Amino acid sequence: MMSTSDIKSKNIWQLVVLLVAIVVVNMLAGSWFFRLDLTSEKRYSLSENTKNLVADLDQTIFVKVFLEGDLNVGFSKLSKASYELLNEFRVYGGNHIEFRFIDPSEGNKKEKEAVLKELKELGLNPVPVYEQSEDGRNTTSYFYPYAVVYYGDKQLPLNLLENIQGFSGAENLNKSIESLEFKFTDAIRRVSLDEKPKIAFIEGHGELDDYDVMDITEHLSQYYQVDRGVIGNDPSILDPYKAIIIAKPQNKFSESDKFVIDQYMMNGGGVMWLVDAVNITLDSLKKARETIGMMADLNIEDQLFKYGIRINPVLIQDMQSAMIPMSVSTGGQPRIVPAPWLYSPLLIPQPDHAISRNMNVVQGEFVSSLDTVNSQLDIKRKVLLRTSRYAKSDQVPVFVSLAFVNEKPDQRAFRQPFMPVAIVQEGVFTSVFEHREPPHNISPQPDEVKSKSVPTKMIVVGDGDLIKNKVRFKNTNPKILPLGYDELTKQNFGNKDFILNAVNYLCDDDGWMDLRARSYTLRLLDKKKVAEDAFFWKLINVILPVVLVLVLGVVVAVVRRYKFMR
């Protein structure tokens, strides 16, 4: 039997060994670590791009998140997901990532007023949430699902909440959590960017002017240096630009312009075409009350066909449509009422692409459908926007009258469902000038014409007005309305998000937009079972821990008694 001194000496050595082991483990953990994500969709794993981004920061990023305090269940989940994500950022970014969660309703009156003033100056207004309490009363709460990213003297506000029409609260919450990594990394890249890449709006063919695209230009300028200009005869004039936008041309393209755009694509440039295949506008229709839409002759049909796309010279009518204001009189003063306008379809974003995922419907105006051709091309294609199930197309020449709003549409006639309106293509394209001489007025004449492109991207939209914001003039002063904002219904459609995502995708060489394609499985509780079995599970949660502690206590007591009785 061991003496008391031997037992004491053994215990001391065990303590020393334990302390040494703890020190060694901590030293190893300080120089090497690993993290396990056991979720099937890798919900808690950062992309390699994100890890590199935060690891390479040379200044501190500070993030304020205004999701703290007495939050409901949904916003608590969003707050927790934001906290976990920023914690992951800090693992790889170290001291260059700092964040703080703020409760706008916390503190004394002066402190609360300062926080609310800051939010208001950034254009971050409270979001009302309508809920029913346990006693059946309807309650309204106001939350601020926002964050602000600071980098040096730059700051950038973020809306963390997705609000997609037709989705339930749980689905919108899940979409919000899915997009968190993209939103935060996008903000960090924007504020830490030293030099903005260049993009350009092409002019010279009757495209939309500065006022028509002012809102989207302002938002694109947060990412890019946005220029405008005519192409001219210099084949290298587009070389400095990551992407170009051709927004609703109305006049013919010259062969030299086509050549410059073609060779720009062959060298890897991205192009976004927003083209009306039918000559008709809502403004002209309102003046004349009726008109005939004719096919637009832009001299680019052969070029787009060579790239694998045909814009059909048709006008789409869709029973899922936006409203237009109509003046009616019912014996008294005329009044303005909203009326469905079938030529303004609400286009459905497709959820299987980074550009169109997690987005509201997009408002179109006099839209044409697209077809894909040249299946032998080495390219991948994805539909981004399509019509609803109940749509039809009218061949040109097509008669259009405002009086159509008074006619009840026959659903049986709308038998062309899900027509594609926007398509993205990426891969290797064939030049439209393959086996052709370059135009004679191109100067200097190129040594050779590239017949095959390097891998690149192109987006075609059968609606030139999709990028156009409304402009209201008052005393010759223009008032620019937000792109996608509907004055009648006070809704914000997804036009702005679509254009921003599309241009970002064209300019994305590193795969950042893939973060928008992340998908988390929505696992909802069975509300019926929850209601039926609530008491049972509450009882288990309260009683079972107590029983386990008591059992463990009894087992320990018995073991100790048995050990010392030997």
Side-chain angles (χ1 to χ4, degrees):
M1 191 170 179
M2 294 180 66
S3 65
T4 303
S5 61
D6 290 337
I7 294 175
K8 186 175 180 180
S9 177
K10 181 181 178 182
N11 289 340
I12 291 174
W13 276 109
Q14 287 177 340
L15 178 61
V16 170
V17 170
L18 178 61
L19 291 174
V20 170
I22 291 173
V23 171
V24 171
V25 168
N26 273 282
M27 290 175 64
L28 290 174
S31 58
W32 177 79
F33 74 97
F34 68 94
R35 304 172 78 79
L36 293 177
D37 184 353
L38 302 180
T39 58
S40 59
E41 62 267 40
K42 299 302 177 185
R43 180 183 290 252
Y44 303 106
S45 298
L46 298 180
S47 70
E48 290 302 317
N49 278 345
T50 300
K51 294 175 185 177
N52 295 334
L53 173 70
V54 297
D56 293 341
L57 289 171
D58 55 6
Q59 291 187 49
T60 298
I61 289 284
F62 179 65
V63 183
K64 288 183 182 178
V65 183
F66 297 91
L67 276 173
E68 187 71 356
D70 187 17
L71 307 174
N72 66 6
V73 175
F75 282 105
S76 293
K77 289 182 179 178
L78 184 58
S79 176
K80 182 182 178 184
S82 302
Y83 181 83
E84 291 171 346
L85 178 70
L86 291 172
N87 250 335
E88 285 292 304
F89 280 18
R90 189 155 55 185
V91 168
Y92 297 96
N95 295 332
H96 284 145
I97 298 292
E98 297 180 4
F99 60 89
R100 182 158 61 98
F101 280 67
I102 297 172
D103 180 1
S105 62
E106 188 179 49
N108 56 42
K109 183 179 179 181
K110 187 176 181 180
E111 291 171 337
K112 287 189 287 187
E113 286 178 349
V115 172
L116 296 179
K117 182 182 178 183
E118 178 186 3
L119 290 166
K120 187 175 181 180
E121 289 175 348
L122 292 169
L124 305 178
N125 299 313
V127 174
V129 177
Y130 308 99
E131 296 176 300
Q132 192 173 58
S133 59
E134 292 183 359
D135 58 5
R137 292 184 298 109
N138 293 322
T139 61
T140 303
S141 305
Y142 293 90
F143 300 106
Y144 291 86
Y146 306 115
V148 182
V149 177
Y150 298 88
Y151 183 80
D153 58 352
K154 301 177 184 177
Q155 61 180 22
L156 188 65
L158 297 178
N159 183 359
L160 305 181
L161 181 66
E162 299 288 346
N163 188 17
I164 304 172
Q165 293 179 20
F167 281 38
S168 68
E171 289 171 322
N172 272 317
L173 173 66
N174 194 58
K175 300 298 181 187
S176 302
I177 295 173
E178 285 177 350
S179 62
L180 282 177
E181 184 178 348
F182 174 76
K183 287 183 176 180
F184 278 112
T185 55
D186 181 61
I188 292 172
R189 287 191 300 126
R190 285 159 63 184
V191 297
S192 61
L193 205 60
D194 293 326
E195 184 178 354
K196 295 180 180 179
K198 295 180 178 181
I199 64 171
F201 281 89
I202 299 302
E203 294 181 327
H205 316 93
E207 288 90 353
L208 298 175
D209 64 23
D210 300 55
Y211 287 146
D212 292 326
V213 294
M214 187 169 288
D215 185 59
I216 193 63
T217 300
E218 180 182 336
H219 284 80
L220 286 170
S221 63
Q222 298 175 13
Y223 299 83
Y224 310 100
Q225 176 183 319
V226 184
D227 295 337
R228 297 180 65 91
V230 298
I231 293 175
N233 299 323
D234 181 358
S236 63
I237 194 170
L238 298 179
D239 290 353
Y241 298 101
K242 293 281 289 182
I244 60 172
I245 303 171
I246 302 171
K248 196 179 179 178
Q250 299 178 62
N251 304 324
K252 281 187 176 184
F253 282 68
S254 67
E255 290 301 307
S256 58
D257 284 354
K258 291 168 62 176
F259 179 81
V260 172
I261 295 172
D262 176 83
Q263 292 301 292
Y264 169 74
M265 274 193 62
M266 296 305 109
N267 285 290
V271 183
M272 186 173 189
W273 307 80
L274 297 111
V275 179
D276 281 347
V278 181
N279 279 329
I280 187 171
T281 66
L282 188 58
D283 290 337
S284 63
L285 182 61
K286 287 179 178 179
K287 294 176 183 177
R289 306 294 295 179
E290 58 187 34
T291 188
I292 295 179
M294 303 297 292
M295 185 172 71
D297 181 13
L298 301 174
N299 193 34
I300 56 173
E301 294 76 18
D302 61 329
Q303 188 164 9
L304 292 177
F305 191 92
K306 193 74 172 182
Y307 300 154
I309 290 288
R310 178 175 58 229
I311 305 179
N312 298 312
V314 300
L315 285 184
I316 289 174
Q317 292 191 62
D318 196 324
M319 295 193 69
Q320 178 178 287
S321 60
M323 303 282 189
I324 60 171
M326 294 297 295
S327 178
V328 300
S329 178
T330 55
Q333 290 291 328
R335 58 192 180 92
I336 302 297
V337 297
W341 182 238
L342 303 187
Y343 289 103
S344 184
L346 297 180
L347 305 168
I348 303 171
Q350 299 306 283
D352 56 351
H353 197 277
I355 293 175
S356 49
R357 182 173 174 77
N358 293 349
M359 212 170 62
N360 273 335
V361 293
V362 174
Q363 183 178 5
E365 185 177 303
F366 296 120
V367 179
S368 299
S369 63
L370 307 180
D371 283 335
T372 55
V373 293
N374 286 356
S375 58
Q376 71 274 16
L377 289 173
D378 183 21
I379 58 175
K380 295 186 295 181
R381 295 159 162 154
K382 277 288 185 180
V383 174
L384 302 176
L385 300 174
R386 61 168 174 78
T387 63
S388 77
R389 181 181 298 276
Y390 301 105
K392 69 173 185 174
S393 60
D394 299 331
Q395 297 285 337
V396 293
V398 55
F399 175 74
V400 180
S401 172
L402 286 178
F404 289 170
V405 298
N406 300 318
E407 300 176 5
K408 184 177 181 181
D410 182 1
Q411 184 172 308
R412 294 172 297 180
F414 291 75
R415 301 177 62 182
Q416 294 175 265
F418 311 131
M419 286 182 280
V421 171
I423 293 177
V424 60
Q425 300 188 133
E426 49 189 310
V428 177
F429 295 86
T430 302
S431 169
V432 71
F433 286 87
E434 184 183 30
H435 310 308
R436 289 172 56 185
E437 292 291 329
H440 63 86
N441 56 341
I442 287 291
S443 179
Q445 284 283 315
D447 295 331
E448 62 175 340
V449 175
K450 288 190 104 175
S451 60
K452 296 288 184 183
S453 77
V454 299
T456 188
K457 306 168 188 174
M458 181 182 80
I459 296 170
V460 181
V461 183
D463 179 18
D465 292 300
L466 191 138
I467 196 174
K468 180 182 178 181
N469 54 245
K470 293 183 175 65
V471 184
R472 298 286 181 261
F473 284 90
K474 185 176 182 181
N475 299 327
T476 71
N477 295 319
K479 177 186 178 184
I480 307 299
L481 299 182
L483 176 60
Y485 177 70
D486 184 8
E487 295 173 282
L488 283 174
T489 60
K490 310 301 181 186
Q491 294 184 74
N492 284 298
F493 295 115
N495 298 52
K496 185 185 301 182
D497 289 337
F498 177 79
I499 299 297
L500 284 172
N501 293 342
V503 175
N504 285 339
Y505 190 79
L506 289 176
C507 298
D508 180 18
D509 297 326
D510 301 316
W512 286 107
M513 288 295 291
D514 292 342
L515 291 176
R516 293 200 78 254
R518 298 191 74 166
S519 177
Y520 298 156
T521 303
L522 185 60
R523 299 175 175 90
L524 298 176
L525 294 175
D526 187 323
K527 293 184 178 181
K528 183 179 179 181
K529 285 188 175 181
V530 169
E532 291 175 350
D533 303 333
F535 178 75
F536 170 76
W537 289 109
K538 287 178 182 177
L539 194 65
I540 290 293
N541 286 330
V542 172
I543 300 299
L544 185 60
V546 176
V547 171
L548 289 175
V549 170
L550 292 175
V551 170
L552 182 62
V554 171
V555 170
V556 170
V558 170
V559 169
R560 287 173 61 87
R561 183 177 181 185
Y562 175 77
K563 180 178 179 181
F564 288 105
M565 286 180 63
R566 285 193 306 170

